[in-house]
């Protein structure tokens, strides 16, 4: 069964929800693990008042029995505490940088409320819930996915731990989910400075996946390419404006000899000398760590509103102001982790098939066993 995700929900409606189809039967889903990720999405230095109102908890009214998936569609529901949609005023002055203006024209309405309630990133809580389930499945298959903050405005971390466990440990004690403590104070300073002046900041998030088997994705079709799918999944997160796979951006200005990762004999599968490709070649995983980055623009709801036009009068007027975050990059790193986990899960299940987790694991083991036999082991002289 193909993994498919649909989401629903307005920012101030009753709830946001996800229907996740294609998760095999027999996966243990600990709701506390899902809630932990929902709480992380709500946190991070720079969030606004809304996130202090919400305290997200997932409910799963369909697809689970005794804490395990049935293999039927999962319904993941997160109720909004601030469910004031029916009482909120109309919005007639579109905010530059938001979905307001294009959405008003598209939907034929002078009230941007009809647009911004869905365009707001509140629905990404349901994406995080679905991603949490995907991450549980991946863990059962030996795959770990971690998202973190690389930079906020002009302040960038760089000394990130190599090992996944150490990376997570450093990330989880950071107010920015940035596993480089040396930049924390500077991040606090730029975000607090932006907040004081009514401004907003963007930044960069990275997602790494370890233990991903080679051959997920496809070189045969455009839509099968995993790099294309990861880019689409990350660009599907509001405010993301660019995606980089491995050293993709700097590779464009370097010669090929300084970009491509040499292939070396290994015990079983060949090894690589480096991982500038970010674990993906030919639209497929190559067995190395998957590394992707997403670039987030500064949020568009500004306290000092930019010029706009009032849809009722046609006159110039400052854009509407909405309760807003100063910087949502840490939250976006949690959403990006979910988006990547879902995409890798979809590609994994395409490779393995399987209606139950037992069948998925059996098929995965059989595939890896066969892959290890593609290259003969090195001769004793080559080993030296
Ligand atoms: C986790 C997260 C939180 C966000 N919070 C806000 C916010 O508080 N204020 C705001 O103006 N935009 C916020 N955004 C961004 C808007 O949703 C986004 O800019 C808008 O939907 C327009 O889409 P675009 O930026 O992709 O063009 C947030 C995005 C994410 C991923």
């Amino acid at each position: 069964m193909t993994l498919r995700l649909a989401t629903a929900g307005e920012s101030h409606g009753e709830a946001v929800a996800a229907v996740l189809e294609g998760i095999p039967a027999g996966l243990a889903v600990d709701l506390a693990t899902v809630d932990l990720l929902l709480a992380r999405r709500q946190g991070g230095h720079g969030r606004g008042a809304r996130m202090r109102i919400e305290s997200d908890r997932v409910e799963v009214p369909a697809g689970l029995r005794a804490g395990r998936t049935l293999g039927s569609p999962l319904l993941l529901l997160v109720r909004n505490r601030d469910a004031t949609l029916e009482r909120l005023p109309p919005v007639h002055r579109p905010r530059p940088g938001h979905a307001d203006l294009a959405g008003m024209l598209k939907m034929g309405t002078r009230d941007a409320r009809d647009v911004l309630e869905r365009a707001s990133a509140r629905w990404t809580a349901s994406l995080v819930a679905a991603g949490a389930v995907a991450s549980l499945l991946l863990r059962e298959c030996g795959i770990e996915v971690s998202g973190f903050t690389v930079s906020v405005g002009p302040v960038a971390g760089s000394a990130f731990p190599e090992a996944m466990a150490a990376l997570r440990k450093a990330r989880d004690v950071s107010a920015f989910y940035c596993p480089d403590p040396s930049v924390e104070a500077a991040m606090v300073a730029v975000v607090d400075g932006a907040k004081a002046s009514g401004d907003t900041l963007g930044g960069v998030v990275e997602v790494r996946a370890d233990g991903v088997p080679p051959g997920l994705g496809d070189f045969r079709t455009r839509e099968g390419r995993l790099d294309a799918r990861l880019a689409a999944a990350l660009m599907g997160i509001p405010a993301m404006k660019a995606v980089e796979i491995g050293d993709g951006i700097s590779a464009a200005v370097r010669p090929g000899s300084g970009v491509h990762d040499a292939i070396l004999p290994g015990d079983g599968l060949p090894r690589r000398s480096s991982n500038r490709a970010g674990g993906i070649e030919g639209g497929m995983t190559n067995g190395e760590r998957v590394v992707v980055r997403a670039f987030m623009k500064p949020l568009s709801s500004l306290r000092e509103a930019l010029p706009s036009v009032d849809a009722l009068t046609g006159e110039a007027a400052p854009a509407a102001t909405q309760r807003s975050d100063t910087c949502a990059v840490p939250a976006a790193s949690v959403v990006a982790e979910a988006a990547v986990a879902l995409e890798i899960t979809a590609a994994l299940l395409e490779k393995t098939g399987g209606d139950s987790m037992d069948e998925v694991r059996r098929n995965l083991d059989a595939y890896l066993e066969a892959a290890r036999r593609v290259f003969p082991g090195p001769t004793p002289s080559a080993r030296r």
Side-chain angles (χ1 to χ4, degrees):
M1 217 177 151
T2 310
L3 192 75
R4 283 205 307 201
L5 174 70
T7 69
E10 278 69 46
S11 182
H12 298 90
E14 290 296 321
V16 293
V19 174
L20 184 59
E21 265 180 33
I23 295 289
L27 176 70
V29 177
D30 175 14
L31 298 189
T33 313
V34 182
D35 286 344
L36 207 70
L37 285 169
L38 290 173
R40 283 189 55 225
R41 193 200 72 95
Q42 293 184 276
H45 195 92
R47 302 309 298 281
R50 174 72 192 273
M51 285 305 122
R52 287 194 288 278
I53 296 172
E54 299 295 346
S55 170
D56 290 344
R57 292 265 179 284
V58 73
E59 296 167 37
V60 189
L64 277 189
R65 182 167 183 237
R68 287 188 178 269
T69 53
L70 288 165
S72 48
L74 280 165
L75 173 57
L76 304 155
L77 194 89
V78 181
R79 289 184 196 279
N80 289 330
R81 305 263 150 129
D82 194 14
T84 46
L85 182 59
E86 299 299 338
R87 301 194 295 280
L88 287 171
V91 175
H92 301 300
R93 290 169 283 124
R95 292 161 298 168
H98 225 291
D100 303 356
L101 173 63
M104 289 162 91
L105 301 176
K106 179 177 175 66
M107 308 306 277
T109 177
R110 289 183 176 150
D111 183 3
R113 171 81 52 203
D114 292 344
V115 174
L116 65 88
E117 280 290 328
R118 178 66 183 159
S120 131
R122 174 73 191 139
W123 67 268
T124 58
S126 62
L127 180 63
V128 168
V133 174
S135 285
L136 289 170
L137 184 153
L138 292 176
R139 199 163 300 156
E140 296 238 336
C141 297
I143 302 169
E144 292 284 338
V145 183
S146 293
F148 61 90
T149 298
V150 171
S151 65
V152 164
V155 182
S158 55
F160 305 130
E162 232 348 80
M164 194 68 112
L167 182 97
R168 284 192 167 185
K169 208 166 151 208
R171 175 197 72 180
D172 291 348
V173 295
S174 156
F176 287 91
Y177 309 160
C178 176
D180 179 355
S182 70
V183 292
E184 181 115 350
M187 285 185 174
V188 172
V190 285
V191 170
D192 290 356
K195 186 173 183 184
S197 58
D199 218 326
T200 59
L201 287 174
V204 180
V205 300
E206 179 168 317
V207 184
R208 298 180 176 181
D210 275 1
V212 188
L216 305 191
D218 212 317
F219 60 95
R220 291 167 294 190
T221 60
R222 287 187 307 145
E223 58 280 7
R225 292 181 63 100
L226 190 62
D227 42 8
R229 292 160 59 170
L230 288 170
L234 289 167
M235 293 289 286
I237 301 169
M240 295 302 165
K241 294 297 131 194
V243 171
E244 178 183 31
I245 312 240
D247 285 359
I249 291 170
S250 62
V253 295
R254 296 205 304 263
S257 55
V259 168
H260 302 300
D261 308 305
I263 301 175
L264 309 170
D267 260 340
L269 300 173
R271 294 178 295 119
R272 310 305 291 260
S273 59
S274 50
N275 185 26
R276 300 187 194 104
I280 300 187
E281 289 170 307
M284 294 164 293
T285 52
N286 62 7
E288 299 298 306
R289 166 181 282 173
V290 172
V291 183
V292 289
R293 287 185 171 195
F295 295 68
M296 185 177 198
K297 76 184 190 186
L299 306 177
S300 39
S301 305
L302 302 178
R303 201 172 66 216
E304 300 299 322
L306 292 172
S308 184
V309 174
D310 192 312
L312 296 184
T313 64
E315 302 288 335
T321 50
Q322 295 287 317
R323 189 171 52 198
S324 177
D325 302 328
T326 304
C327 172
V329 177
S333 73
V334 182
V335 182
E337 177 182 297
V340 169
L342 281 160
E343 223 45 64
I344 293 179
T345 302
L348 176 75
L349 293 175
E350 273 164 30
K351 187 81 187 87
T352 61
D355 291 307
S356 68
M357 284 306 295
D358 281 349
E359 198 178 358
V360 169
R361 275 186 300 257
R362 259 196 328 268
N363 294 350
L364 177 60
D365 288 347
Y367 163 59
L368 289 174
E369 179 64 37
R372 277 192 282 268
R373 286 197 303 268
V374 171
F375 285 79
T379 58
S381 61
R383 271 182 212 277
R384 264 184 272 118

